[in-house]
Amino acid sequence: MTEIYIDADACPVKEETLRVARRHKLKSYIVSDGGVRPERDVLVEMVYVASGEDAADNWIADKIAAGDVCVTNDIRLAARCLDAGAKAIKPNGETFSEAGIGMAVANRNLMADLRETGAVTGGPAPFSKADRGRFLDRLEQLVRAAQRGR
């Protein structure tokens, strides 16, 4: 049975993710180091990890399995999910793929180096209503595909 994992710290689409999960009656895990409002749904498990770099990522990577879906902006976590046979999607609706994850990791590392040297400042574009709609559509597609075993 497909399960959904939400890398919840700073995730702008928790409610949208849970709406899709409820529609399909899927178990969901909201994983954070605190500060996330509890859910009272029996299909939603709140997981609080110790604060620290990668604590939530490590918990998700240790539990996620083939056929599951992870909602995350973290490229390294997405790579670990794909290695486990799971799917990964960003809150803006972009999906991570086996074919593109290597390039995404390399680009992430390059941008981190450029930010460190001051050559690049700023961050990603602000989250938009279009991003939210694209996310909902793509998550629905991923869940359906995962349930069919693709």
Side-chain angles (χ1 to χ4, degrees):
M1 178 82 133
T2 299
E3 296 181 331
I4 297 179
Y5 293 79
I6 304 170
D7 185 6
D9 294 326
C11 178
V13 291
K14 288 184 280 295
E15 289 304 316
E16 290 80 359
T17 304
L18 294 177
R19 189 177 332 141
V20 172
R22 286 180 183 113
R23 184 177 320 125
H24 293 277
K25 297 176 176 50
L26 301 178
K27 175 80 174 181
S28 299
Y29 299 90
I30 298 177
V31 185
S32 77
D33 62 6
V36 177
R37 189 184 80 231
E39 290 288 329
R40 301 204 186 279
D41 188 326
V42 295
L43 289 175
V44 178
E45 184 174 325
M46 301 299 299
V47 178
Y48 298 103
V49 297
S51 58
E53 192 173 346
D54 297 331
D57 298 353
N58 290 337
W59 190 93
I60 292 169
D62 288 346
K63 305 290 187 225
I64 202 161
D68 292 339
V69 176
C70 180
V71 178
T72 186
N73 261 320
D74 189 288
I75 295 168
R76 292 178 298 174
L77 173 57
R80 294 169 73 184
C81 292
L82 293 176
D83 285 345
K87 305 289 185 197
I89 183 173
K90 293 181 184 182
N92 68 4
E94 290 178 37
T95 56
F96 294 96
S97 69
E98 289 288 337
I101 197 68
M103 183 61 77
V105 170
N107 189 48
R108 177 207 172 276
N109 294 339
L110 173 63
M111 293 306 290
D113 289 344
L114 291 174
R115 278 190 297 276
E116 192 173 290
T117 64
V120 172
T121 58
F127 190 73
S128 71
K129 187 175 180 180
D131 292 332
R132 193 174 307 278
R134 187 172 38 256
F135 172 80
L136 275 168
D137 290 342
R138 190 64 186 130
L139 180 61
E140 182 69 31
Q141 292 170 10
L142 282 179
V143 166
R144 289 181 184 193
Q147 289 179 317
R148 287 191 309 263
R150 293 185 190 162

PDB file of all heavy atoms in Angstrom, residues 33-48:
ATOM      1  N   ASP A  33      11.036  18.601  12.886  1.00  0.00           N
ATOM      2  CA  ASP A  33      11.716  18.703  14.182  1.00  0.00           C
ATOM      3  C   ASP A  33      10.923  19.591  15.136  1.00  0.00           C
ATOM      4  O   ASP A  33      11.441  20.102  16.107  1.00  0.00           O
ATOM      5  CB  ASP A  33      13.157  19.185  14.025  1.00  0.00           C
ATOM      6  CG  ASP A  33      13.272  20.568  13.421  1.00  0.00           C
ATOM      7  OD1 ASP A  33      12.236  21.226  13.209  1.00  0.00           O
ATOM      8  OD2 ASP A  33      14.407  21.000  13.175  1.00  0.00           O
ATOM      9  N   GLY A  34       9.632  19.738  14.869  1.00  0.00           N
ATOM     10  CA  GLY A  34       8.742  20.486  15.760  1.00  0.00           C
ATOM     11  C   GLY A  34       8.139  21.682  15.053  1.00  0.00           C
ATOM     12  O   GLY A  34       8.472  22.014  13.924  1.00  0.00           O
ATOM     13  N   GLY A  35       7.207  22.317  15.707  1.00  0.00           N
ATOM     14  CA  GLY A  35       6.595  23.518  15.167  1.00  0.00           C
ATOM     15  C   GLY A  35       5.528  23.272  14.119  1.00  0.00           C
ATOM     16  O   GLY A  35       5.078  24.207  13.474  1.00  0.00           O
ATOM     17  N   VAL A  36       5.108  22.028  13.946  1.00  0.00           N
ATOM     18  CA  VAL A  36       4.066  21.709  12.978  1.00  0.00           C
ATOM     19  C   VAL A  36       2.800  21.336  13.741  1.00  0.00           C
ATOM     20  O   VAL A  36       2.846  20.532  14.672  1.00  0.00           O
ATOM     21  CB  VAL A  36       4.502  20.538  12.054  1.00  0.00           C
ATOM     22  CG1 VAL A  36       3.387  20.161  11.104  1.00  0.00           C
ATOM     23  CG2 VAL A  36       5.756  20.907  11.290  1.00  0.00           C
ATOM     24  N   ARG A  37       1.693  21.945  13.342  1.00  0.00           N
ATOM     25  CA  ARG A  37       0.414  21.695  14.012  1.00  0.00           C
ATOM     26  C   ARG A  37       0.023  20.219  13.893  1.00  0.00           C
ATOM     27  O   ARG A  37       0.044  19.649  12.805  1.00  0.00           O
ATOM     28  CB  ARG A  37      -0.670  22.577  13.387  1.00  0.00           C
ATOM     29  CG  ARG A  37      -1.970  22.552  14.160  1.00  0.00           C
ATOM     30  CD  ARG A  37      -3.064  23.361  13.482  1.00  0.00           C
ATOM     31  NE  ARG A  37      -3.628  22.537  12.419  1.00  0.00           N
ATOM     32  CZ  ARG A  37      -3.791  22.917  11.169  1.00  0.00           C
ATOM     33  NH1 ARG A  37      -3.421  24.099  10.783  1.00  0.00           N
ATOM     34  NH2 ARG A  37      -4.303  22.112  10.275  1.00  0.00           N
ATOM     35  N   PRO A  38      -0.347  19.583  14.994  1.00  0.00           N
ATOM     36  CA  PRO A  38      -0.737  18.166  14.953  1.00  0.00           C
ATOM     37  C   PRO A  38      -1.998  17.927  14.128  1.00  0.00           C
ATOM     38  O   PRO A  38      -2.854  18.801  14.032  1.00  0.00           O
ATOM     39  CB  PRO A  38      -0.997  17.813  16.416  1.00  0.00           C
ATOM     40  CG  PRO A  38      -0.412  18.912  17.214  1.00  0.00           C
ATOM     41  CD  PRO A  38      -0.375  20.126  16.342  1.00  0.00           C
ATOM     42  N   GLU A  39      -2.097  16.782  13.552  1.00  0.00           N
ATOM     43  CA  GLU A  39      -3.277  16.343  12.800  1.00  0.00           C
ATOM     44  C   GLU A  39      -4.000  15.294  13.633  1.00  0.00           C
ATOM     45  O   GLU A  39      -3.372  14.485  14.302  1.00  0.00           O
ATOM     46  CB  GLU A  39      -2.866  15.735  11.457  1.00  0.00           C
ATOM     47  CG  GLU A  39      -2.321  16.733  10.469  1.00  0.00           C
ATOM     48  CD  GLU A  39      -3.386  17.646   9.907  1.00  0.00           C
ATOM     49  OE1 GLU A  39      -4.558  17.230   9.785  1.00  0.00           O
ATOM     50  OE2 GLU A  39      -3.050  18.794   9.589  1.00  0.00           O
ATOM     51  N   ARG A  40      -5.310  15.270  13.557  1.00  0.00           N
ATOM     52  CA  ARG A  40      -6.090  14.324  14.349  1.00  0.00           C
ATOM     53  C   ARG A  40      -6.641  13.172  13.514  1.00  0.00           C
ATOM     54  O   ARG A  40      -7.435  12.394  13.991  1.00  0.00           O
ATOM     55  CB  ARG A  40      -7.214  15.060  15.059  1.00  0.00           C
ATOM     56  CG  ARG A  40      -6.685  16.146  15.976  1.00  0.00           C
ATOM     57  CD  ARG A  40      -7.659  16.471  17.064  1.00  0.00           C
ATOM     58  NE  ARG A  40      -7.234  17.605  17.853  1.00  0.00           N
ATOM     59  CZ  ARG A  40      -6.345  17.544  18.840  1.00  0.00           C
ATOM     60  NH1 ARG A  40      -5.779  16.409  19.134  1.00  0.00           N
ATOM     61  NH2 ARG A  40      -6.036  18.628  19.519  1.00  0.00           N
ATOM     62  N   ASP A  41      -6.234  13.068  12.301  1.00  0.00           N
ATOM     63  CA  ASP A  41      -6.675  12.012  11.394  1.00  0.00           C
ATOM     64  C   ASP A  41      -5.922  10.718  11.716  1.00  0.00           C
ATOM     65  O   ASP A  41      -4.700  10.733  11.876  1.00  0.00           O
ATOM     66  CB  ASP A  41      -6.387  12.450   9.954  1.00  0.00           C
ATOM     67  CG  ASP A  41      -6.960  11.542   8.904  1.00  0.00           C
ATOM     68  OD1 ASP A  41      -7.012  10.319   9.127  1.00  0.00           O
ATOM     69  OD2 ASP A  41      -7.337  12.050   7.839  1.00  0.00           O
ATOM     70  N   VAL A  42      -6.635   9.605  11.804  1.00  0.00           N
ATOM     71  CA  VAL A  42      -5.992   8.326  12.137  1.00  0.00           C
ATOM     72  C   VAL A  42      -5.030   7.868  11.049  1.00  0.00           C
ATOM     73  O   VAL A  42      -4.147   7.053  11.309  1.00  0.00           O
ATOM     74  CB  VAL A  42      -7.036   7.214  12.429  1.00  0.00           C
ATOM     75  CG1 VAL A  42      -7.844   7.539  13.663  1.00  0.00           C
ATOM     76  CG2 VAL A  42      -7.922   6.962  11.234  1.00  0.00           C
ATOM     77  N   LEU A  43      -5.186   8.378   9.834  1.00  0.00           N
ATOM     78  CA  LEU A  43      -4.285   8.006   8.746  1.00  0.00           C
ATOM     79  C   LEU A  43      -3.041   8.892   8.674  1.00  0.00           C
ATOM     80  O   LEU A  43      -2.192   8.701   7.824  1.00  0.00           O
ATOM     81  CB  LEU A  43      -5.017   8.046   7.391  1.00  0.00           C
ATOM     82  CG  LEU A  43      -6.032   6.946   7.168  1.00  0.00           C
ATOM     83  CD1 LEU A  43      -6.774   7.149   5.849  1.00  0.00           C
ATOM     84  CD2 LEU A  43      -5.366   5.578   7.195  1.00  0.00           C
ATOM     85  N   VAL A  44      -2.949   9.862   9.591  1.00  0.00           N
ATOM     86  CA  VAL A  44      -1.806  10.777   9.604  1.00  0.00           C
ATOM     87  C   VAL A  44      -1.006  10.550  10.876  1.00  0.00           C
ATOM     88  O   VAL A  44      -1.543  10.630  11.977  1.00  0.00           O
ATOM     89  CB  VAL A  44      -2.252  12.251   9.532  1.00  0.00           C
ATOM     90  CG1 VAL A  44      -1.051  13.177   9.598  1.00  0.00           C
ATOM     91  CG2 VAL A  44      -3.069  12.497   8.265  1.00  0.00           C
ATOM     92  N   GLU A  45       0.271  10.264  10.706  1.00  0.00           N
ATOM     93  CA  GLU A  45       1.153  10.092  11.857  1.00  0.00           C
ATOM     94  C   GLU A  45       2.121  11.258  11.918  1.00  0.00           C
ATOM     95  O   GLU A  45       2.821  11.543  10.950  1.00  0.00           O
ATOM     96  CB  GLU A  45       1.930   8.777  11.753  1.00  0.00           C
ATOM     97  CG  GLU A  45       2.790   8.503  12.960  1.00  0.00           C
ATOM     98  CD  GLU A  45       3.445   7.147  12.921  1.00  0.00           C
ATOM     99  OE1 GLU A  45       2.826   6.194  12.406  1.00  0.00           O
ATOM    100  OE2 GLU A  45       4.583   7.023  13.419  1.00  0.00           O
ATOM    101  N   MET A  46       2.119  11.921  13.052  1.00  0.00           N
ATOM    102  CA  MET A  46       3.059  13.009  13.282  1.00  0.00           C
ATOM    103  C   MET A  46       4.353  12.398  13.797  1.00  0.00           C
ATOM    104  O   MET A  46       4.344  11.642  14.771  1.00  0.00           O
ATOM    105  CB  MET A  46       2.503  13.983  14.324  1.00  0.00           C
ATOM    106  CG  MET A  46       1.171  14.616  13.953  1.00  0.00           C
ATOM    107  SD  MET A  46       1.192  15.613  12.455  1.00  0.00           S
ATOM    108  CE  MET A  46       2.371  16.875  12.870  1.00  0.00           C
ATOM    109  N   VAL A  47       5.460  12.719  13.162  1.00  0.00           N
ATOM    110  CA  VAL A  47       6.764  12.209  13.568  1.00  0.00           C
ATOM    111  C   VAL A  47       7.651  13.405  13.890  1.00  0.00           C
ATOM    112  O   VAL A  47       7.920  14.234  13.016  1.00  0.00           O
ATOM    113  CB  VAL A  47       7.412  11.357  12.455  1.00  0.00           C
ATOM    114  CG1 VAL A  47       8.798  10.883  12.884  1.00  0.00           C
ATOM    115  CG2 VAL A  47       6.521  10.186  12.079  1.00  0.00           C
ATOM    116  N   TYR A  48       8.066  13.501  15.137  1.00  0.00           N
ATOM    117  CA  TYR A  48       8.952  14.572  15.556  1.00  0.00           C
ATOM    118  C   TYR A  48      10.332  13.988  15.789  1.00  0.00           C
ATOM    119  O   TYR A  48      10.498  13.069  16.589  1.00  0.00           O
ATOM    120  CB  TYR A  48       8.427  15.242  16.827  1.00  0.00           C
ATOM    121  CG  TYR A  48       7.072  15.888  16.617  1.00  0.00           C
ATOM    122  CD1 TYR A  48       5.909  15.282  17.080  1.00  0.00           C
ATOM    123  CD2 TYR A  48       6.964  17.085  15.919  1.00  0.00           C
ATOM    124  CE1 TYR A  48       4.671  15.869  16.870  1.00  0.00           C
ATOM    125  CE2 TYR A  48       5.725  17.672  15.702  1.00  0.00           C
ATOM    126  CZ  TYR A  48       4.583  17.059  16.179  1.00  0.00           C
ATOM    127  OH  TYR A  48       3.369  17.634  15.960  1.00  0.00           O
TER     128      TYR A  48
END
